[in-house]
Amino acid sequence: MEITPSNVAMLCSAVNVLEMECDDGPGTPNLKPHIEKFLEGIRFWTWSELLEALKQCQGLFSFKGYLAILDRIVDHLIERLASPGITSPNTCSSNRSSFQFSCDTSSNNSWRNNCSGATWWFEHLLFLKIDLLDKVIRTMLSYDFDHGVISRFLFCYHNSTCLGAAQVEKVQTTKVVIDLLFLLDLRSISCKDLFNLNRIAVTLKMSRSCINKIESLIGPLLDQTTVDYLLLPSPHGRDTVYDVDFVLRLIHIFFFGGSFELTSNQLKRVAKMMDLFLVEVAPDPHLKPCEFEALITVLPDTARESHDQFYLAMDMYLKD
């Protein structure tokens, strides 16, 4: 029988189920030492072989006996991605990836990484189920993987997985992606992607705690976005056109929820955007005076370079 990357996970599971882990004497079948010997050559596996083994592990995820091999496969996969100079899997090949029980697995050939790039592997890992995704991302972080690349992959994964999925699966995926984004450096995350994630969460009617988590990520990055992203429709039961409370919460987080000191340029960008938002909401006949007042007083007056849009918004509101 031949052990290959495509069946080694299944064999590990069989070893556990059939209790073939101990040597009970001559003539007793024992797969474990052969599997361990084969896994010594995992560094020579091709990228495709690592993916195939990972898919096998995912299909057997409920079995505890093969979790050790899952760790090894994920570690080698991420180690290969984290190596400098990777751009595609094409040159990441192995001279040998199978093993006969009776053969010697020692080899002097070494795997060379001749690739470079950052995102070519995204489509290769979209098959991951949500529990295995969590493990892969955390392993990436342990290898000091670039946080910007991880965040882009998470949004790519979220968009791909939620496409055509059931409501329950969309909610579960969104929750896990939010939690994983919290592990990243905030400045490595796209603010626009966070706004899109927030829209999806609102549409899915997710819990207030999940929405709060997304808003806590968006708030400190508010200077990176445009007014279009603030124009979120008012929630059901509210008469106003846009969700004013949402914007006020983001402004509050921008000032008090960030972990870094605000610069004058950041303040000016947010002030300009807020004045444009005021112009958008001022004609709304359902906007209460207290809400309009909250919007015009939420920023310090010194943050504004120009008051033209501010006065225009006030004039529009008073006329209506």
Side-chain angles (χ1 to χ4, degrees):
M1 180 181 179
E2 185 180 40
I3 301 179
T4 67
S6 61
N7 67 18
V8 66
M10 184 73 73
L11 291 174
C12 284
S13 179
V15 165
N16 177 253
V17 173
L18 299 176
E19 299 180 354
M20 300 172 66
E21 296 179 324
C22 300
D23 190 357
D24 294 329
T28 302
N30 186 0
L31 278 173
K32 188 173 183 180
H34 299 291
I35 292 172
E36 288 296 327
K37 192 71 174 175
F38 172 72
L39 290 176
E40 290 177 3
I42 192 172
R43 65 187 183 278
F44 301 118
W45 293 9
T46 65
W47 173 258
S48 296
E49 288 170 337
L50 284 171
L51 287 181
E52 180 59 31
L54 187 60
K55 290 177 182 178
Q56 289 284 330
C57 287
Q58 180 168 259
L60 300 167
F61 203 71
S62 59
F63 292 89
K64 296 182 179 180
Y66 82 102
L67 287 180
I69 188 178
L70 175 61
D71 289 339
R72 293 172 71 170
I73 291 171
V74 171
D75 282 343
H76 278 274
L77 185 139
I78 302 305
E79 182 179 351
R80 194 165 300 187
L81 285 179
S83 300
I86 289 189
T87 188
S88 78
N90 296 332
T91 56
C92 302
S93 60
S94 164
N95 291 330
R96 190 170 201 163
S97 60
S98 63
F99 170 78
Q100 298 287 346
F101 282 175
S102 59
C103 76
D104 180 10
T105 58
S106 61
S107 173
N108 293 323
N109 297 322
S110 62
W111 173 81
R112 287 182 179 269
N113 187 356
N114 297 318
C115 314
S116 66
T119 62
W120 60 266
W121 50 270
F122 281 15
E123 63 183 80
H124 295 246
L125 297 185
L126 293 179
F127 72 88
L128 294 174
K129 293 181 180 178
I130 201 66
D131 47 2
L132 193 51
L133 172 76
D134 183 270
K135 179 178 182 62
V136 168
I137 296 300
R138 292 177 186 274
T139 303
M140 286 182 174
L141 292 172
S142 70
Y143 276 86
D144 293 327
F145 219 82
D146 184 89
H147 286 206
V149 174
I150 294 177
S151 69
R152 289 166 64 187
F153 171 67
L154 285 174
F155 288 119
C156 176
Y157 176 89
H158 183 266
N159 292 336
S160 175
T161 303
C162 289
L163 188 64
Q167 175 90 358
V168 174
E169 185 179 355
K170 289 180 180 178
V171 170
Q172 182 187 21
T173 301
T174 304
K175 284 182 179 179
V176 172
V177 168
I178 292 170
D179 289 339
L180 291 173
L181 287 172
F182 262 89
L183 302 177
L184 307 180
D185 177 12
L186 188 56
R187 286 292 177 180
S188 70
I189 306 173
S190 164
C191 189
K192 294 180 180 180
D193 286 332
L194 287 173
F195 271 105
N196 291 332
L197 185 65
N198 182 73
R199 289 177 186 269
I200 293 172
V202 171
T203 302
L204 292 173
K205 298 180 180 179
M206 296 184 65
S207 66
R208 185 67 246 175
S209 61
C210 288
I211 302 296
N212 288 342
K213 285 183 178 181
I214 302 176
E215 291 179 359
S216 69
L217 291 172
I218 295 175
L221 303 176
L222 204 55
D223 60 296
Q224 298 181 10
T225 191
T226 60
V227 68
D228 294 339
Y229 288 89
L230 298 182
L231 302 178
L232 191 69
S234 189
H236 181 72
R238 299 291 299 273
D239 295 328
T240 53
V241 177
Y242 299 114
D243 192 347
V244 173
D245 291 336
F246 168 67
V247 175
L248 290 172
R249 289 195 300 270
L250 293 184
I251 292 294
H252 185 272
I253 295 170
F254 176 74
F255 278 106
F256 305 109
S259 58
F260 31 77
E261 186 176 349
L262 299 176
T263 66
S264 60
N265 286 334
Q266 288 176 304
L267 290 173
K268 290 175 182 178
R269 283 196 295 267
V270 171
K272 183 177 180 180
M273 182 173 59
M274 275 300 299
D275 285 348
L276 292 174
F277 181 75
L278 281 171
V279 172
E280 292 289 338
V281 300
D284 184 358
H286 298 290
L287 185 65
K288 298 178 181 178
C290 61
E291 293 174 319
F292 187 72
E293 181 186 6
L295 288 172
I296 64 176
T297 58
V298 68
L299 289 175
D301 193 55
T302 54
R304 291 182 169 90
E305 285 187 303
S306 170
H307 290 73
D308 293 347
Q309 297 295 319
F310 174 78
Y311 289 128
L312 174 61
M314 290 186 65
D315 185 55
M316 293 171 67
Y317 183 74
L318 292 174
K319 283 183 179 179
D320 291 337

